Amino acid sequence: MVAFELAVQDVHGLTVAARLGVDRIELCSALPVGGITPSLGLVETAVATPGMPPVHVLVRPRLGGFDYSPDEVALIVRDVRHALAAGVAGVVIGGVRDGRVDDNLVGRVLDAAGAAAVTFHRAFDTLPDPAAAVRTLAALGVRRILTSAGAASVADALPALADLVAAAGDRIEIMAGGGVRPDDVEKIVRTGVPAIHASAKRTVPSTVGVTLGTAARAGENGFETTDEAEAARFVTALRAPQ
């Protein structure tokens, strides 16, 4: 059975993940901007939630690209250690340097993670030679890669996903993600990926009476949270006979 990883960014999403029995969650904050490291309080709440599937924490210290300074690398490693001390099953990281996998960053994270699973996130999609990156990450000991195969749409991604699955073999998992909808599941499963990642989110309208920053102006705004009905459609699609 193909696994379903649900991206979660708040306590409502935790409740949904536990109630639906998804296979695992990627825990983060600020999904509208691609996700950043969640608070330790949210990590601890996730681990303590009854019925929670394995929790994998995104460790991304800032917005923008994935070429990190030495101080940022040290922060990533520290956040990885804090997350693992809280009892998570794995971490999700990514780093690039000169168009290739940042093997120094990945190696340091793997050392800190020990036996916990390490996923390389969609920084993978910025790399010009995906097959070489698969070989590098597999050799380092990364458990899985989250990728949209660098395509603008799911339909365009299907051939490249199948190629990545073939290149990965049994050395590393390829997990499809990036704009995936429940209607895409059947087509993606045919590529041979062992897992699908999605956020299954909706926007809740909300009025903010004061400008909080350049990206948070006063007026009609909103916040994103997990859409339980949409997440349930993923679960149904993945657990239906293929």
Side-chain angles (χ1 to χ4, degrees), residues 16 31 41 56 60-61 78 120 124 151-152 157 160 165 215:
V16 171
L31 268 173
H56 295 250
R60 182 185 176 207
R78 180 171 292 180
F120 194 90
F124 180 88
V165 170

Side-chain angles (χ1 to χ4, degrees), residues 14 21 30 35 104 145 158 161 164 171-172 175 203 224 239:
L14 297 177
N104 172 63
I145 298 167
L158 296 175
L161 280 172
L164 288 172
R171 298 173 299 162
I172 191 169
M175 177 166 59
T203 299
E224 291 185 351
R239 293 178 182 171

Side-chain angles (χ1 to χ4, degrees), residues 172-205:
I172 191 169
E173 295 178 18
I174 301 298
M175 177 166 59
V180 176
R181 303 299 300 271
D183 290 346
D184 301 318
V185 165
E186 185 177 355
K187 297 185 289 287
I188 293 173
V189 167
R190 291 196 198 110
T191 68
V193 296
I196 290 177
H197 168 103
S199 55
K201 58 188 184 293
R202 61 185 175 89
T203 299
V204 179

Side-chain angles (χ1 to χ4, degrees), residues 7-10 26-31 34-38 42 56-58:
V8 170
Q9 63 182 335
D10 56 22
E26 179 195 86
L27 186 66
C28 65
S29 290
L31 268 173
I36 57 173
T37 310
L42 184 58
H56 295 250
V57 171
L58 174 68

Side-chain angles (χ1 to χ4, degrees), residues 1 3 6-7 24-25 30 34 50 53 57 59 69-70 82 90 104 112 121 128 141 150 165 202 206 212 238-239:
M1 187 173 66
L6 179 65
R24 60 178 174 263
I25 68 167
V57 171
V59 181
S69 71
H82 284 308
N104 172 63
H121 60 49
V165 170
R202 61 185 175 89
S206 178
L212 299 174
L238 282 165
R239 293 178 182 171

Side-chain angles (χ1 to χ4, degrees), residues 44-196:
E44 292 172 341
T45 300
V47 171
T49 298
M52 181 58 55
V55 176
H56 295 250
V57 171
L58 174 68
V59 181
R60 182 185 176 207
R62 58 162 170 77
L63 306 185
F66 308 107
D67 189 340
Y68 295 113
S69 71
D71 286 343
E72 289 173 325
V73 171
L75 176 60
I76 289 169
V77 172
R78 180 171 292 180
D79 278 334
V80 165
R81 290 190 176 119
H82 284 308
L84 293 167
V88 305
V91 293
V92 182
I93 56 95
V96 300
R97 184 63 53 88
D98 299 325
R100 292 187 288 272
V101 171
D102 185 344
D103 52 4
N104 172 63
L105 166 62
V106 175
R108 289 184 62 183
V109 169
L110 285 162
D111 286 344
V118 174
T119 299
F120 194 90
H121 60 49
R122 289 188 59 210
F124 180 88
D125 293 334
T126 71
L127 298 170
D129 189 342
V134 167
R135 291 193 296 271
T136 297
L137 292 167
L140 286 167
V142 170
R143 180 77 57 85
R144 67 180 59 88
I145 298 167
L146 171 62
T147 179
S148 67
S153 70
V154 170
D156 292 338
L158 296 175
L161 280 172
D163 289 344
L164 288 172
V165 170
D170 59 1
R171 298 173 299 162
I172 191 169
E173 295 178 18
I174 301 298
M175 177 166 59
V180 176
R181 303 299 300 271
D183 290 346
D184 301 318
V185 165
E186 185 177 355
K187 297 185 289 287
I188 293 173
V189 167
R190 291 196 198 110
T191 68
V193 296
I196 290 177

